[in-house]
Amino acid sequence: MQLDHFRIPLGSAIEDGIDLLSDHLAPLTKAMSAVLETAIDILDSILSALPPWALILLFGLLAWRLGSRRIGLFTVLGLGLIWNLGLWDPTITTITLVLFSTAIATLLGVPLGILAAMHKGWARVIMPVLDFMQTMPAFVSLIPAIPFFGLGPVSAIFSTVIFAMPPSIRLTCLGIRQVPASLTEAADAFGATRSQRLFKVELPLALPTIMAGINQTIMLSLSMVVIAAMIGAKGLGGEVWKAIQRLEPGLGFEAGIGVVIIAVILDRVTQKIGTRSV
């Protein structure tokens, strides 16, 4: 038999599997989509209802309190530039999507990281899946979102969570495993239960590493939200995608600078929180 005429039907099998899952999970995905889209609209409406100058000052104050005066000043100046460029509404949409994506990825990732750290059997299952998720091209993550949730922000969040969750799992697992054995043995010697040892010894000591994972999750969420503009995510990514389609490099660079400003603010604030938790 010639191998030239033999082709494993991998693509067809994947399509059949996605179709099967989307048919059977349609009620669940529709309900999830409705709830999540309503929550996105509510948060976006609240942020959009506030005057831009007031929201800029509020974000600057938060960045100052959670980070430093320098970060607070950069937040005010950076967001002021975005407002001046006429990109305030897309920026609010992007921030909303990043907040939801990061929250979901963290709520799923941290418990999975704890599970992988506590049970080697689960780690053997979870880590290969993470390898697959991290090496798969970002654009491929958009494909399974469309059959389940259709075009729009919910699909963008779904694909972003898949793309951005691995760092929070890996670094949570790493942080717990790096806790010195002498400390866990001391906790056991004083009669601590497994949950007490986890919440009072391991997690507090692993918090800086966990925060580093959350920081990376935020950065990946921001980059993926921009890519997800291709499936209707809107926001600053939508402005970049529009600039590409219309061959308007100036508009594209302005939206790109807005993404960079948001990324720097979130990165510096979360780094500062992680440093304080040491």
Side-chain angles (χ1 to χ4, degrees), residues 4-250:
D4 293 341
H5 300 289
F6 176 74
R7 184 177 187 275
I8 298 174
L10 181 60
S12 299
I14 293 174
E15 288 182 10
D16 292 340
I18 292 176
D19 290 339
L20 182 65
L21 288 174
S22 61
D23 290 340
H24 285 80
L25 298 178
L28 177 61
T29 56
K30 286 181 180 179
M32 290 174 57
S33 180
V35 171
L36 192 54
E37 195 162 353
T38 301
I40 292 170
D41 290 340
I42 290 173
L43 180 58
D44 190 74
S45 300
I46 292 173
L47 295 178
S48 299
L50 296 173
W53 60 267
L55 203 54
I56 290 172
L57 292 177
L58 177 61
F59 285 150
L61 180 62
L62 286 174
W64 174 34
R65 298 296 298 174
L66 297 175
S68 64
R69 290 184 180 180
R70 185 177 299 178
I71 299 172
L73 179 61
F74 176 83
T75 299
V76 172
L77 295 178
L79 294 180
L81 175 62
I82 291 174
W83 182 25
N84 178 262
L85 293 175
L87 295 171
W88 186 250
D89 289 338
T91 299
I92 292 299
T93 301
T94 297
I95 292 173
T96 301
L97 294 175
V98 170
L99 288 177
F100 274 98
S101 301
T102 303
I104 295 171
T106 302
L107 289 174
L108 293 175
V110 172
L112 286 174
I114 294 172
L115 188 64
M118 293 174 61
H119 304 284
K120 292 183 178 180
W122 279 105
R124 294 191 190 99
V125 175
I126 292 173
M127 293 307 167
V129 176
L130 296 184
D131 294 336
F132 178 82
M133 292 168 65
Q134 289 186 293
T135 53
M136 183 63 68
F139 289 95
V140 180
S141 302
L142 302 175
I143 297 174
I146 299 173
F148 290 107
F149 301 102
L151 298 175
V154 178
S155 290
I157 289 176
F158 177 82
S159 56
T160 301
V161 168
I162 293 175
F163 183 74
M165 190 167 51
S168 63
I169 300 175
R170 286 190 184 277
L171 289 176
T172 299
C173 178
L174 178 65
I176 293 174
R177 287 183 174 179
Q178 286 182 334
V179 173
S182 59
L183 295 178
T184 58
E185 290 170 359
D188 291 337
F190 279 100
T193 63
R194 185 68 188 89
S195 60
Q196 287 175 333
R197 191 178 79 184
L198 175 65
F199 288 104
K200 295 185 178 181
V201 178
E202 293 173 332
L203 283 180
L205 292 173
L207 189 57
T209 307
I210 294 173
M211 285 303 303
I214 295 174
N215 174 275
Q216 291 302 305
T217 296
I218 293 172
M219 296 298 103
L220 290 175
S221 296
L222 188 54
S223 65
M224 191 62 189
V225 161
V226 174
I227 296 173
M230 297 177 63
I231 57 173
K234 297 182 181 180
L236 291 173
E239 297 301 313
V240 174
W241 182 238
K242 189 189 303 180
I244 293 173
Q245 292 177 315
R246 297 178 180 178
L247 296 177
E248 297 178 346

